[in-house]
Amino acid sequence: MKILVTGGAGYIGSHTIVELIKAGYDVVAIDNFDNSYPSVLESLKEITGKEIDFTEMDIRDKSALKTFVKNTPGIDAVIHFAANKAVGESVALPLKYYENNVGGTVNLLEAMQEAGIKQIVFSSSCTVYGEATPPVDENAPILVAQSPYGNTKQICEEILIDQSKATDLTVVALRYFNPVGAHESALIGELPIGIPNNLVPFITQTAIGKREVLTVFGDDYPTKDGTCIRDYIHVVDLALAHVAAIDYLAKQKNEEAFSVFNLGTGEGNSVLEAIQSFEKVSGIKLNYKIGPRRTGDVVQVYASCEKAFKGLGWKTERSLEDCMRSSWKWEQALATKENK
Ligand code: NAD
Ligand code: UD1
């Protein structure tokens, strides 16, 4: 099978390409390098031993996208990662997010329809649940989105539902919890641009000396140690779920045209536990301080992964320590590259 991967140079896209190729799929990837670098393609070649079939392409350019999809023979399914993902930026620049995340998805669906491609796996987010009672399953209510970014994920899911009702499109929407970690080779990983918003890159950048101190956003929450609880999932486990989702669509295991799965570990870890885990695997005492709560943070969220286990035959295999170990190795590899 040949899979078109949009956003293939990005964090989750690049790890998914590795696992797709390992599983024997042909991959064709596109990206506009808005939040990634062409050097990722070299790293993918080094890991997989294969030249990646890649085209620089912006999914907002509808006619170029349609021409590309039509002229690329044999695409069986699409995995759609391409989107902007910075929550804070989406509040400041909502139209950028609606144009790229929603408009880009509409363009892609039109291109797929014209080319007769009937299967798509979509990157959604646990952000659609807002503050829910964990473990959160797929039947938890979708709350009013807290940000334009979150809203784009809800809108795209609705568009996909409508399109799957109107045509013979089949959809798997994957709601990720907190993706972290990097490939064991340390050749690919997350590349946060500027000051990271997310916890794990902030931890590793503090440990390497790029940031002075990590601020823990609040220790007065009603949780085991007062800090927020999240479900940190290793990006390689996440990538493997996409391979399982493609298999699920290919073998027509889906009962509905639109299926949705939570992707997490099923375990909640606090911010302090994440720090302790990092300190254990790195042997570094992290410089951190307790600060005020961050506006908009939910207290605790972790997934019920039963549906993914039953439906996709998938579950995570990597621990929080594996996440921290690989993130640290990746940060060190980045520092070595920067110092060259
Ligand atoms: P990323 O920014 O690393 O990857 C996205 C890729 O898409 C980038 O390489 C970017 O250059 C590309 N892109 C953006 N706009 C494009 C366009 N118009 N045309 C072509 N390429 C474009 O992000 P990621 O962490 O790999 O996230 C992948 C997907 O998963 C996104 O849809 C994101 O919203 C979703 N998601 C991510 C997380 C997370 O924490 N990383 C959590 C939930 C959902
Ligand atoms: C954020 C996004 C969410 C996205 C998710 C995964 C927001 C409001 N939400 O969620 O939409 O799906 O990332 O990419 O941005 N923390 C600190 N200090 C820091 C950074 C984080 O204490 O410097 C804490 C946070 O308060 C939180 C936990 O660490 O409790 C995880 O934070 P983060 O990595 O930003 O992820 P989320 O807030 O879960």
Side-chain angles (χ1 to χ4, degrees):
M1 274 181 83
K2 189 187 271 189
I3 314 298
L4 169 63
V5 178
T6 76
Y11 174 45
I12 306 169
S14 58
H15 288 81
T16 300
I17 288 175
V18 170
E19 299 309 323
L20 284 168
I21 291 175
K22 263 169 82 177
Y25 290 97
D26 284 339
V27 170
V28 41
I30 58 174
D31 201 298
N32 68 351
F33 298 123
D34 179 68
N35 196 34
S36 51
Y37 296 96
S39 59
V40 167
L41 302 170
E42 284 307 308
S43 302
L44 288 176
K45 189 178 168 191
E46 211 174 321
I47 296 169
T48 63
K50 285 205 171 158
E51 193 82 49
I52 307 301
D53 183 347
F54 178 85
T55 301
E56 187 170 343
M57 158 101 25
D58 191 321
I59 61 166
R60 287 171 299 184
D61 185 344
K62 192 196 286 199
S63 75
L65 181 66
K66 280 186 175 179
T67 306
F68 173 81
V69 172
K70 218 185 273 169
N71 293 341
T72 306
I75 298 173
D76 296 289
V78 177
I79 307 182
H80 179 33
F81 294 107
N84 296 120
K85 63 166 183 177
V87 177
E89 185 190 55
S90 80
V91 176
L93 301 173
L95 298 184
K96 174 177 172 178
Y97 279 70
Y98 289 112
E99 186 197 21
N100 199 27
N101 297 9
V102 179
T105 300
V106 171
N107 290 348
L108 180 66
L109 290 173
E110 281 186 22
M112 288 172 64
Q113 191 168 358
E114 278 188 19
I117 302 166
K118 297 182 177 120
Q119 297 173 344
I120 185 167
V121 176
F122 174 70
S123 297
S124 190
S125 169
C126 72
T127 191
V128 301
Y129 299 121
E131 187 84 66
T133 308
V136 181
D137 70 22
E138 292 78 356
N139 296 320
I142 303 293
L143 299 188
V144 174
Q146 293 291 307
S147 68
Y149 167 75
N151 205 20
T152 66
K153 292 297 170 192
Q154 295 189 7
I155 293 170
C156 284
E157 283 197 14
E158 283 166 10
I159 291 170
L160 288 161
I161 290 170
D162 289 343
Q163 181 70 353
S164 72
K165 282 183 188 157
T167 67
D168 48 8
L169 182 76
T170 50
V171 183
V172 170
L174 299 175
R175 293 180 183 151
Y176 314 153
F177 281 63
N178 286 59
V180 295
H183 191 259
E184 60 178 10
S185 64
L187 288 165
I188 53 172
E190 188 170 16
L191 274 174
I193 290 170
I195 301 172
N197 292 311
N198 295 122
L199 179 65
V200 176
F202 211 109
I203 289 178
T204 56
Q205 288 198 7
T206 305
I208 207 102
K210 271 191 189 164
R211 312 277 152 217
E212 203 188 318
V213 56
L214 167 80
T215 303
V216 174
F217 297 140
D219 69 347
D220 57 351
Y221 286 100
T223 60
K224 47 188 162 187
D225 59 22
T227 64
C228 293
I229 308 277
R230 295 290 183 275
D231 187 337
Y232 298 98
I233 172 172
H234 197 295
V235 67
V236 174
D237 280 330
L238 191 61
L240 286 165
H242 292 76
V243 179
I246 286 290
D247 189 57
Y248 175 86
L249 286 174
K251 297 199 175 131
Q252 300 184 336
K253 292 183 195 160
N254 52 308
E255 282 163 16
E256 317 266 339
F258 177 93
S259 318
V260 60
F261 296 99
N262 286 344
L263 298 182
T265 64
E267 249 185 61
N269 283 108
S270 73
V271 178
L272 292 179
E273 283 172 338
I275 293 171
Q276 281 153 13
S277 172
F278 174 79
E279 288 182 331
K280 185 172 168 205
V281 302
S282 68
I284 289 175
K285 184 91 200 71
L286 196 75
N287 188 24
Y288 72 88
K289 63 176 188 197
I290 307 295
R293 292 180 176 195
R294 178 172 71 176
T295 312
D297 267 341
V298 298
V299 180
Q300 59 170 336
V301 62
Y302 53 91
S304 158
C305 308
E306 248 168 76
K307 191 175 175 207
F309 182 53
K310 284 193 187 133
L312 302 178
W314 167 93
K315 65 176 169 48
T316 56
E317 285 167 4
R318 289 159 185 82
S319 65
L320 183 61
E321 285 186 12
D322 294 329
C323 292
M324 293 299 175
R325 200 175 291 111
S326 59
S327 295
W328 182 226
K329 197 172 163 194
W330 166 242
E331 188 70 59
Q332 289 172 303
L334 279 179
T336 310
K337 255 192 233 164
E338 281 164 17
N339 291 334
K340 267 189 189 165

